[in-house]
């Protein structure tokens, strides 16, 4: 009996010890979760890294204070933020850092996505962070990943997309629609000098700019340029004309509006490219473009200021431009219009040829635009690729991306935000900006040619625009393109 009691007590002791052990393990297990999280945060503690960006001053300041500083505090790291001037400079910056290994992340424009990979300067995301990338990328829109994918591998985390749409003053468009026919005779004569015919048969200026083509744009441009506003007559249409990528995008968009493809863009002398230059010369020759756009080399900021001064009523702008022009999303975003409610947006006008036959343009394109944007790239020489990836994901997590998108009007790259525009953007005017962007996407939105030599081709377009349009070397546009710029483009593409 005594032995049985001892055996029972021993068994009971073993059971209690086992249960206690299990309970202890469970408690330890519960403690492991925050420990792991803490370990992940501390994995990079003390590390340093440099990133390269290019942003407008206000956005640059906001980005450093609201995105970078909290990341440094969370992970105990030091991030040095440098800026670059020109897109093409990135190649030299990364090559010079190959041995130093200090640059961990680069804000990369669409024109440099392909070249930097082809030069062997960027790591694929899988190389940087392993298999987890496949699950992470499901959070981003397909469009934003399309350009980030090169030769079947994803090299970039999307930052923002952008596309040109028409931005105008509603009151001035209404004035032109209501009164342009008072100037119908000289407007018709303006076109007749160019195409021998005049306006298209049964021409009508639609009240809705979403239905416009390039004839409509020229008609309202003529009306505004020859109507006195605030005691002055001057051209009120403009686009970017600084010698930089933004101006090439204006020409690229117009080629796509004519129905052109990347192949047309690269050849530089197909009929659709000649049509684009023909219209650009027409607008300049007939005093429809505000000449300050090339005299003062306007970028987007130049056009904002011109709208504030009442010198421009219509331009081709990105979504972020619309937010800056309207203002009101941040105490520092004061806007550029006396009446922000007067700002209107529409999809791009349809491209048509100046050349006419049987009362209609010989060639008709579509309401197309270009698709551009910025991405985050991880250099192959990054001091810590996993930290680089962690930062890119931090910048584009739902909380941080929403804050930046709401403040500056960036087109979201996250599915959960782009699919719910009305909850992402609180104000009706903000929703309209992105509703129009969505309509533009359906109407046609195409990227720049994805070739390594695109920066060189882009520079050729700037050279040609200043030669043919501003320099008036346009007696025979086709001959100039055939003899000078098409051969240069072909040589660049070898």
């Amino acid at each position: 009996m005594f032995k049985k009691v001892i055996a029972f007590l021993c068994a009971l002791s073993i059971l209690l010890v086992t249960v206690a052990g299990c309970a202890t393990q469970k408690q330890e297990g519960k403690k492991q979760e925050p420990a792991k999280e803490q370990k992940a945060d501390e994995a990079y503690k003390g590390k340093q890294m440099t990133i390269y960006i290019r942003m407008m001053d206000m956005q640059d300041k906001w980005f450093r204070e609201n995105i970078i500083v909290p990341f440094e505090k969370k992970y105990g790291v030091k991030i040095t933020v440098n800026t670059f001037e020109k897109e093409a400079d990135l190649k030299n910056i990364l090559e010079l850092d190959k041995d130093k290994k200090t640059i961990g992340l680069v804000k990369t424009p669409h024109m440099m996505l392909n070249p930097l990979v082809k030069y062997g300067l960027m790591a694929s995301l899988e190389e940087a962070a392993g298999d987890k990338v496949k699950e992470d990328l499901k959070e981003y829109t397909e469009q934003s990943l399309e350009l980030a994918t090169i030769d079947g591998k994803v090299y970039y985390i999307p930052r923002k997309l952008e596309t040109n749409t028409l931005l105008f003053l509603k009151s001035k468009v209404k004035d032109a629609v209501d009164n342009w026919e008072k100037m119908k005779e000289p407007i018709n004569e303006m076109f007749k000098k160019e195409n021998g015919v005049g306006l298209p048969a049964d021409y009508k200026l639609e009240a809705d700019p979403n239905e416009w083509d390039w004839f409509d744009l020229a008609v309202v441009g003529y009306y505004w340029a020859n109507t006195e506003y605030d005691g002055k007559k001057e051209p009120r249409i403009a686009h970017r004309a600084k010698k930089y990528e933004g101006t090439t995008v204006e020409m690229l968009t117009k080629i796509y509006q004519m129905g052109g493809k990347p192949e047309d863009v690269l050849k530089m002398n197909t009929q659709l490219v000649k049509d684009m230059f023909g219209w650009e010369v027409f607008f300049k020759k007939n005093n429809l473009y505000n000449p300050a756009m090339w005299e003062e080399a306007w970028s987007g900021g130049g056009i904002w200021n011109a709208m504030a001064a009442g010198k421009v009523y219509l331009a081709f702008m990105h979504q972020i431009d619309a937010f800056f022009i309207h203002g009101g999303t941040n105490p520092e975003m004061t806007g550029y219009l006396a009446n922000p409610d007067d700002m209107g947006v529409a999809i791009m006008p349809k491209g048509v040829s100046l050349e006419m036959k049987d009362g209609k343009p010989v060639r008709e394109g579509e309401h197309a635009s270009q698709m551009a944007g910025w991405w985050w790239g991880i250099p192959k020489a990054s001091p810590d690729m996993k930290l680089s990836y962690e930062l890119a994901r931090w910048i584009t997590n739902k909380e941080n991306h929403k804050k930046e998108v709401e403040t500056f009007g960036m087109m979201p790259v996250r599915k959960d935000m782009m699919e719910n525009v009305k909850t992402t953007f609180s104000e009706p005017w903000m929703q309209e900006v992105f509703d129009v962007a969505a309509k533009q996407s359906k109407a046609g939105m195409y990227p720049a040619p994805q070739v390594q030599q695109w920066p060189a081709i882009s520079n050729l377009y700037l050279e040609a625009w200043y030669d043919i349009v501003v320099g008036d070397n346009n007696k025979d546009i086709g001959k100039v393109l055939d003899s000078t710029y098409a051969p240069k483009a072909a040589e660049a593409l070898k």
Side-chain angles (χ1 to χ4, degrees):
M1 181 64 185
F2 178 73
K3 289 182 178 178
K4 287 183 179 179
V5 171
I6 293 299
F8 172 76
L9 291 175
C10 287
L12 182 61
S13 299
I14 291 169
L15 179 62
L16 290 173
V17 168
T18 303
V19 170
C22 290
T24 304
Q25 284 177 6
K26 284 183 180 179
Q27 287 175 356
E28 287 175 351
K30 287 180 182 176
K31 290 177 182 175
Q32 280 175 357
E33 289 181 12
K36 280 181 181 176
E37 186 181 338
Q38 186 178 11
K39 189 176 179 181
D41 288 357
E42 292 181 351
Y44 308 110
K45 195 170 184 179
K47 293 196 173 184
Q48 298 186 21
M49 191 170 75
T50 296
I51 71 171
Y52 268 82
I53 66 170
R54 197 186 74 183
M55 300 180 187
M56 287 170 283
D57 291 345
M58 189 187 302
Q59 192 175 17
D60 181 309
K61 180 174 178 287
W62 186 96
F63 178 78
R64 292 171 194 249
E65 293 175 352
N66 293 279
I67 303 295
I68 297 301
V69 170
F71 182 82
E72 289 179 318
K73 288 180 179 175
K74 178 175 173 63
Y75 290 94
V77 297
K78 173 62 181 172
I79 305 294
T80 300
V81 181
N82 288 343
T83 59
F84 62 90
E85 289 294 323
K86 297 179 181 177
E87 290 89 342
D89 293 343
L90 284 176
K91 176 174 175 285
N92 292 334
I93 289 170
L94 291 175
E95 285 183 337
L96 289 171
D97 195 64
K98 272 183 177 177
D99 296 326
K100 297 177 186 173
K101 298 183 185 299
T102 63
I103 303 173
L105 201 63
V106 177
K107 183 175 175 241
T108 310
H110 69 280
M111 69 175 287
M112 294 305 294
L113 296 176
N114 190 295
L116 293 181
V117 170
K118 296 297 183 184
Y119 286 123
L121 295 169
M122 286 295 182
S124 72
L125 296 185
E126 192 171 345
E127 181 182 354
D131 289 339
K132 64 177 289 191
V133 167
K134 292 176 184 173
E135 194 62 29
D136 292 345
L137 291 179
K138 291 178 182 176
E139 296 176 6
Y140 301 96
T141 63
E142 291 179 6
Q143 274 186 322
S144 67
L145 290 176
E146 185 181 330
L147 288 178
T149 306
I150 297 167
D151 297 334
K153 293 183 179 179
V154 183
Y155 280 84
Y156 300 91
I157 290 285
R159 168 172 168 73
K160 69 166 183 174
L161 289 181
E162 57 194 13
T163 187
N164 273 359
T165 54
L166 206 60
L167 188 147
F168 51 87
L169 299 186
K170 295 175 191 173
S171 58
K172 296 301 187 291
V173 165
K174 184 177 186 310
D175 182 28
V177 170
D178 290 345
N179 297 296
W180 78 273
E181 292 200 57
K182 297 174 185 173
M183 299 181 187
K184 187 171 183 178
E185 189 175 330
I187 289 174
N188 198 57
E189 191 61 29
M190 173 179 72
F191 284 111
K192 193 173 182 179
K193 284 181 183 174
E194 187 66 31
N195 60 16
V197 178
L199 284 162
D202 303 323
Y203 176 79
K204 178 185 174 185
L205 176 60
E206 294 89 352
D208 182 0
N210 285 292
E211 298 177 21
W212 285 2
D213 63 22
W214 287 353
F215 276 96
D216 300 315
L217 205 58
V219 167
V220 297
Y222 184 94
Y223 176 80
W224 288 336
N226 293 280
T227 299
E228 189 172 299
Y229 294 100
D230 299 323
K232 190 174 182 181
K233 292 180 182 179
E234 64 178 321
R236 310 284 182 169
I237 294 178
H239 68 61
R240 289 167 167 85
K242 181 181 175 181
K243 292 182 179 179
Y244 78 140
E245 167 76 359
T247 303
T248 305
V249 166
E250 302 274 5
M251 289 179 268
L252 180 67
T253 303
K254 288 175 169 57
I255 295 171
Y256 289 156
Q257 284 174 272
M258 277 304 305
K261 306 297 178 193
E263 296 77 30
D264 295 286
V265 177
L266 295 175
K267 287 181 179 175
M268 283 197 79
N269 67 340
T270 66
Q271 183 57 55
L272 303 180
V273 176
K274 292 173 182 175
D275 283 337
M276 179 276 288
F277 274 107
W279 275 101
E280 286 293 281
V281 168
F282 181 84
F283 268 69
K284 193 254 184 180
K285 186 167 63 179
N286 290 288
N287 207 30
L288 307 180
Y289 279 150
N290 192 311
M293 73 187 215
W294 59 83
E295 291 169 354
E296 298 173 10
W298 283 351
S299 60
I303 296 173
W304 306 348
N305 288 321
M307 295 193 86
K311 298 172 74 65
V312 167
Y313 297 159
L314 181 148
F316 316 99
M317 301 266 90
H318 293 148
Q319 292 63 50
I320 195 169
D321 293 313
F323 270 53
F324 270 91
I325 290 168
H326 186 285
T329 61
N330 179 292
E332 295 182 53
M333 298 274 280
T334 53
Y336 288 79
L337 299 178
N339 176 17
D341 292 340
D342 198 25
M343 186 184 83
V345 286
I347 62 171
M348 294 296 274
K350 182 168 75 173
V352 291
S353 67
L354 269 167
E355 188 183 349
M356 303 271 287
K357 186 178 180 182
D358 300 329
K360 294 182 179 179
V362 172
R363 291 172 293 282
E364 292 195 17
E366 53 185 311
H367 291 271
S369 190
Q370 104 298 349
M371 181 175 76
W374 294 79
W375 285 256
W376 292 107
I378 300 172
K380 272 187 176 290
S382 168
D384 188 319
M385 286 193 190
K386 284 187 168 53
L387 177 59
S388 300
Y389 184 79
E390 202 74 46
L391 178 55
R393 289 280 293 159
W394 169 266
I395 296 169
T396 57
N397 70 30
K398 187 172 182 179
E399 180 185 356
N400 289 330
H401 192 51
K402 189 172 190 300
K403 283 192 296 186
E404 195 168 12
V405 159
E406 282 181 320
T407 304
F408 296 105
M410 296 174 3
M411 192 186 297
V413 293
R414 293 182 59 90
K415 286 180 185 173
D416 49 11
M417 294 172 63
M418 197 57 197
E419 292 171 356
N420 297 286
V421 168
K422 289 189 177 178
T423 56
T424 302
F425 299 102
S426 55
E427 300 288 334
W429 71 267
M430 298 177 181
Q431 294 167 12
E432 185 185 8
V433 168
F434 287 98
D435 280 342
V436 169
K439 289 176 184 172
Q440 184 60 68
S441 178
K442 289 180 182 175
M445 205 166 81
Y446 310 109
Q450 296 301 293
V451 296
Q452 190 174 351
Q453 299 91 342
W454 175 243
I457 301 294
S458 174
N459 286 333
L460 276 179
Y461 270 94
L462 292 174
E463 184 183 333
W465 192 81
Y466 268 88
D467 176 22
I468 295 170
V469 181
V470 179
D472 293 326
N473 182 18
N474 50 46
K475 191 174 181 181
D476 188 337
I477 295 172
K479 187 177 179 182
V480 174
L481 291 171
D482 290 341
S483 63
T484 303
Y485 294 102
K488 286 184 177 181
E491 183 64 27
L493 290 168
K494 285 182 179 176

